[in-house]
Protein backbone atom coordinates (compact mmCIF):
# COMPACT_ATOMS: atom_id res chain seq x y z
CA UNK A 1 0.00 0.00 0.00
CA UNK A 2 1.44 3.42 -0.91
CA UNK A 3 2.38 5.81 1.86
CA UNK A 4 0.48 9.08 2.03
CA UNK A 5 2.25 12.40 1.81
CA UNK A 6 3.09 14.09 5.06
CA UNK A 7 1.79 17.61 5.18
CA UNK A 8 3.96 20.07 6.97
CA UNK A 9 2.22 22.89 8.79
CA UNK A 10 3.40 26.39 8.07
CA UNK A 11 5.39 27.97 10.88
CA UNK A 12 3.54 30.52 12.97
CA UNK A 13 4.50 34.08 12.31
CA UNK A 14 2.93 36.66 14.59
CA UNK A 15 1.11 39.56 12.97
CA UNK A 16 2.98 42.86 12.88
CA UNK A 17 2.52 45.08 15.90
CA UNK A 18 0.07 47.94 15.56
CA UNK A 19 1.55 51.40 15.77
CA UNK A 20 -1.54 53.21 17.01
CA UNK A 21 -4.84 51.98 18.32
CA UNK A 22 -7.99 53.15 16.63
CA UNK A 23 -11.22 53.96 18.41
CA UNK A 24 -14.19 52.08 17.05
CA UNK A 25 -17.21 54.35 17.40
CA UNK A 26 -19.55 51.50 16.49
CA UNK A 27 -18.56 49.44 19.53
CA UNK A 28 -21.19 48.46 22.03
CA UNK A 29 -19.11 49.19 25.13
CA UNK A 30 -21.74 51.67 26.35
CA UNK A 31 -24.46 49.04 26.66
CA UNK A 32 -23.44 47.34 29.92
CA UNK A 33 -22.97 50.54 31.95
CA UNK A 34 -26.24 52.05 30.70
CA UNK A 35 -28.11 48.80 31.32
CA UNK A 36 -26.80 48.49 34.87
CA UNK A 37 -27.49 52.17 35.54
CA UNK A 38 -31.11 51.77 34.42
CA UNK A 39 -31.56 48.70 36.63
CA UNK A 40 -30.08 50.48 39.64
CA UNK A 41 -32.05 53.70 39.10
CA UNK A 42 -35.29 51.72 38.89
CA UNK A 43 -34.45 49.68 41.97
CA UNK A 44 -33.42 52.73 44.01
CA UNK A 45 -36.55 54.60 42.86
CA UNK A 46 -38.82 51.81 44.13
CA UNK A 47 -36.87 51.34 47.38
CA UNK A 48 -36.97 55.08 48.13
CA UNK A 49 -40.72 55.10 47.45
CA UNK A 50 -41.32 52.30 49.94
CA UNK A 51 -38.89 53.53 52.61
CA UNK A 52 -40.39 57.04 52.65
CA UNK A 53 -43.99 55.73 52.70
CA UNK A 54 -44.74 57.29 49.32
CA UNK A 55 -43.58 60.84 49.98
CA UNK A 56 -40.48 60.58 47.78
CA UNK A 57 -39.15 60.55 44.96
CA UNK A 58 -42.08 62.51 43.47
CA UNK A 59 -44.96 63.04 45.89
CA UNK A 60 -47.54 64.02 43.29
CA UNK A 61 -47.20 60.71 41.42
CA UNK A 62 -48.37 58.69 44.44
CA UNK A 63 -48.38 54.99 43.51
CA UNK A 64 -47.31 55.75 39.95
CA UNK A 65 -43.78 55.97 41.36
CA UNK A 66 -43.74 52.17 41.25
CA UNK A 67 -44.56 52.28 37.54
CA UNK A 68 -41.75 54.78 36.98
CA UNK A 69 -39.29 52.50 38.81
CA UNK A 70 -40.36 49.48 36.79
CA UNK A 71 -40.17 51.63 33.67
CA UNK A 72 -36.48 52.25 34.34
CA UNK A 73 -35.97 48.52 34.86
CA UNK A 74 -37.85 47.74 31.63
CA UNK A 75 -35.70 50.31 29.81
CA UNK A 76 -32.65 48.48 31.16
CA UNK A 77 -33.94 45.26 29.65
CA UNK A 78 -34.56 47.10 26.39
CA UNK A 79 -30.98 48.37 26.34
CA UNK A 80 -29.74 44.85 27.10
CA UNK A 81 -30.99 43.67 23.71
CA UNK A 82 -28.19 45.73 22.12
CA UNK A 83 -25.48 43.78 23.98
CA UNK A 84 -23.34 41.52 21.79
Amino acid sequence: MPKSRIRKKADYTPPPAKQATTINLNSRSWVAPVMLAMFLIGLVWIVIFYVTDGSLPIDSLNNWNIVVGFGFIAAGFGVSTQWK
Side-chain angles (χ1 to χ4, degrees):
M1 187 162 192
K3 199 172 192 181
S4 64
R5 285 186 357 200
I6 297 175
R7 296 182 189 144
K8 184 180 177 190
K9 290 185 178 179
D11 293 331
Y12 175 75
T13 55
K18 292 183 179 179
Q19 295 297 332
T21 59
T22 58
I23 298 173
N24 187 3
L25 296 177
N26 294 330
S27 70
R28 305 283 175 132
S29 61
W30 58 272
V31 173
V34 171
M35 175 183 67
L36 292 176
M38 294 292 226
F39 288 155
L40 288 176
I41 290 170
L43 179 66
V44 168
W45 192 289
I46 293 171
V47 168
I48 288 174
F49 174 73
Y50 277 115
V51 168
T52 62
D53 291 328
S55 63
L56 287 176
I58 299 175
D59 190 28
S60 62
L61 288 179
N62 296 328
N63 286 335
W64 283 97
N65 279 307
I66 297 172
V67 176
V68 172
F70 278 113
F72 276 111
I73 294 171
F77 279 113
V79 170
S80 72
T81 62
Q82 300 297 315
W83 196 2
K84 288 186 180 185

